Structures are given as structure tokens and as C-alpha cells.
Amino acid sequence: QVQLVESGGGSVQAGGSLTLSCAAAEYAWRTNCLAWFRQAPGKEREAVAAITTGGGSAYYRNFAKGRFTISRSNIKPTVYLEMRSLEPGDTAMYYCAADCPDPAYIGTMTSADFKHWGQGTQVTVSS
């Protein structure tokens, strides 16, 4: 079973920053890429960013470009999501997922494309 463990969520004020971590089990790290999704109350889960586990190529949804940075560790199977200039609209549960379809098509990725998920970490941004 693929294991993904997210951490780093919390409550911040608008304009603040948070960095999320996703610790992946070895099997997850051998998949082609890992992705971050988020789900706000009453909304569908949506892709945020993805990164290839091999070359470290990063892909972002338009709303994440310029404010969010996805990266991976070179020494341990961990993926990060650095979030800056947070807005109340960023409030959501953030999930890590493994084994992406082609990450270049992140704009059309849906949660149905993934079988392997972490438990999520809550991000709350207050105005």
C-alpha cells in the first residue's frame, strides 16, 4: 500500500506563508510524480501542483503560479508545497497524491486520476 503523510498545515492570516510536507513511502517515490490537491468545504478536490520524482519538473494550476512552489528533497522521499501570500480562498484540506497521469496536463487532472492519497493537512487562512 502506498503511504503518503502530509504535515505542515495550520492557521495563518491573509498574506502569510506555510510550507506543507508530504513524506512518501518508497513505493510512492518510485511512481512518476507526486501532486498536491486541495478541497474546500462544499467544493470538489482540485489539483494544485505536481512534480516528477525523477527530474523534479514542476507543474502548476494557474491559480498557484507565482504564489506556490512545489519541490522535492534530494535526500529523502519528501515533497513540499511552499505557499506564500495566502488568501482566505486558499482555505482547504490539502492532500498529497502519488502516481500521476502526465503532469504536464495538470490543468485537467482530477481526483479520479489518482488511487493513492494521504490523509490531508488543514490550511486555514483568516482575513
Side-chain angles (χ1 to χ4, degrees):
Q1 182 176 355
V2 174
Q3 290 186 324
L4 301 159
V5 180
E6 303 95 331
S7 62
S11 297
V12 296
Q13 290 192 326
S17 300
L18 280 174
T19 297
L20 308 181
S21 299
C22 171
E26 190 63 30
Y27 180 84
W29 202 246
R30 292 198 216 109
T31 65
N32 64 322
C33 88
L34 288 104
W36 284 99
F37 275 71
R38 70 183 187 182
Q39 187 168 19
K43 295 188 177 181
E44 292 188 357
R45 195 170 295 191
E46 63 178 355
V48 177
I51 188 166
T52 59
T53 52
S57 297
Y59 303 86
Y60 300 91
R61 292 288 302 279
N62 285 338
F63 68 81
K65 291 179 181 178
R67 295 192 302 125
F68 294 4
T69 302
I70 190 170
S71 62
R72 61 175 174 77
S73 171
N74 290 323
I75 59 175
K76 57 183 179 180
T78 301
V79 172
Y80 305 98
L81 185 68
E82 180 186 4
M83 305 184 293
R84 304 174 298 277
S85 300
L86 284 163
E87 305 165 351
D90 296 316
T91 295
M93 185 72 81
Y94 284 72
Y95 297 91
C96 185
D99 197 8
C100 318
D102 189 342
Y105 293 94
I106 189 170
T108 57
M109 276 186 195
T110 70
S111 59
D113 295 323
F114 293 79
K115 297 180 181 178
H116 309 295
W117 295 91
Q119 82 289 350
T121 186
Q122 177 67 37
V123 172
T124 302
V125 185
S126 58
S127 57

